[in-house]
Amino acid sequence: MEAVIDPASDLHLHTRYSDGNAGVREMIEAAVARGFRRIAITDHMPLPFESRYAMAVEEIDRYREEIRRVRGEYAGVIEVRLGLEMEYLPGFEVWTEKIAAAGWEHAIGSVHGIIADGRRGMVNGTRTEFERLLSALFNGDIRALCTHYYKHLQRVVDSGLVSTVGHLDVLKKHNRDGIFFDETAAWYCDLVMETLNHVKASSMTVEINMSGCDHPTAAPYPSPWLVAECIRRDIPLVLSSDAHRPENIGRNFERLPDMLCPASADWGRCPSSEEKIPPESSLPY
């Protein structure tokens, strides 16, 4: 099946309302200058506890009003979607449900932190934070951490509150050269494939988040073999930069054609236990 992905859309952007470094207007103007036809501003939703990256809950109405007001000035030039990057944390489901009820034009469901046994830890923060999470909450058992992550992501998908899966396999952010786990292991592939079953059943979209190319993993989220699997399953795909500053809008999009080239059929599948896919550094992008 041929993938239809719009390279003139960037559907995951952040502003100063959460952890970005620019305002709504600055991000829109930068997207226009780069020739984009469609963007989504998707700041991190407010969280019911202190966080270094989330929007303050008292700002959410102003956030919605500003996006609507400023985008009106660019009508006919660029489509700007009112979006939000949401989390669906255990014990705080009602919090997210209330925020989702406001209505969003582009709702991303992501996992940034994990709550286990009443304790919190960061999945896609620094390597030190990831190692602390693995040690303190999972006693060093990486398989248990991966299982917890994907089971939680499945609950996010099944919630019906979001339309797009954000950085699906961000769990691998610090896993360069398989330092923490083998992404070709059968148990890991089973978890990911099970998650895609939930995505397909929920008629959701998966973003190709190109920010991963600039992270230690040096690969997009999800990995190219998972992009190919989404294409095979007819799961819609959208592009995103996850930009937190204007100059990063559309970053790494030029690598996409090689990712989706016909040669990807050779590595674009979950390997069996007897096989290995090429390391990320050897993939054609």
Side-chain angles (χ1 to χ4, degrees):
M1 176 189 170
E2 182 180 354
V4 179
I5 302 170
D6 182 9
S9 295
D10 190 341
L11 301 181
H12 189 158
L13 305 178
H14 295 273
T15 74
R16 290 193 191 98
Y17 277 100
S18 59
D19 58 347
N21 82 334
V24 170
R25 185 182 300 276
E26 292 172 89
M27 296 300 280
I28 294 174
E29 289 181 347
V32 170
R34 286 165 171 73
F36 282 89
R37 296 191 297 261
R38 182 181 301 107
I39 61 171
I41 297 178
T42 55
D43 276 293
H44 295 284
M45 66 170 277
L47 293 174
F49 45 77
E50 186 176 348
S51 166
R52 68 173 182 262
Y53 62 87
M55 185 189 311
V57 68
E58 60 268 19
E59 293 283 359
I60 198 163
D61 289 338
R62 189 161 71 93
Y63 169 76
R64 292 168 63 85
E65 186 278 328
E66 183 173 354
I67 292 175
R68 286 171 168 154
R69 173 172 48 80
V70 176
R71 74 179 178 183
E73 301 174 26
Y74 295 86
V77 177
I78 186 171
E79 176 189 342
V80 180
R81 295 181 182 176
L82 172 60
L84 198 68
E85 186 172 14
M86 296 194 227
E87 302 187 50
Y88 195 60
L89 296 168
F92 299 101
E93 292 88 352
V94 173
W95 174 274
T96 303
E97 289 162 4
K98 288 180 178 178
I99 291 173
W104 303 92
E105 295 163 357
H106 191 74
I108 300 174
S110 302
V111 177
H112 298 95
I114 278 178
I115 297 178
D117 296 327
R119 294 180 293 171
R120 300 195 305 266
M122 288 293 293
V123 171
N124 68 333
T126 66
R127 176 168 171 172
T128 297
E129 287 174 322
F130 184 82
E131 291 176 336
R132 186 184 305 129
L133 166 69
L134 176 60
S135 174
L137 275 66
F138 295 93
N139 198 31
D141 186 342
I142 190 62
R143 183 167 178 174
L145 170 54
C146 291
T147 299
H148 187 103
Y149 172 85
Y150 282 110
K151 294 295 184 182
H152 178 52
L153 184 57
Q154 290 166 22
R155 288 193 292 272
V156 174
V157 170
D158 294 344
S159 72
L161 301 177
V162 295
S163 56
T164 299
V165 182
H167 42 65
L168 188 148
D169 60 351
V170 75
L171 188 70
K172 70 169 190 233
K173 180 177 181 179
H174 299 288
N175 196 45
R176 184 70 180 265
D177 299 324
I179 189 170
F180 289 105
F181 60 94
D182 180 3
E183 294 173 46
T184 73
W187 65 264
Y188 180 81
C189 291
D190 287 345
L191 284 170
V192 180
M193 293 301 184
E194 181 182 83
T195 302
L196 289 185
N197 290 341
H198 286 253
V199 174
K200 179 66 176 178
S202 299
S203 300
M204 288 181 65
T205 298
V206 169
E207 70 169 11
I208 305 175
N209 188 316
M210 300 300 287
S211 70
C213 296
D214 298 324
H215 293 168
T217 187
Y221 309 119
S223 292
W225 67 269
L226 276 172
V227 172
E229 183 64 26
C230 287
I231 292 171
R232 263 195 291 272
R233 292 175 180 230
D234 197 21
I235 295 173
L237 296 162
V238 295
L239 263 179
S240 78
S241 64
D242 205 346
H244 287 64
R245 55 185 68 233
E247 60 268 29
N248 285 341
I249 295 175
R251 65 176 171 178
N252 297 314
F253 281 17
E254 72 280 359
R255 301 186 182 196
L256 185 67
D258 285 339
M259 282 179 51
L260 299 181
C261 71
S264 68
D266 295 333
W267 48 261
R269 58 196 172 89
C270 185
S272 69
S273 58
E274 291 79 29
E275 299 173 304
K276 297 289 183 181
I277 58 172
E280 300 290 0
S281 58
S282 71
L283 295 175
Y285 63 89

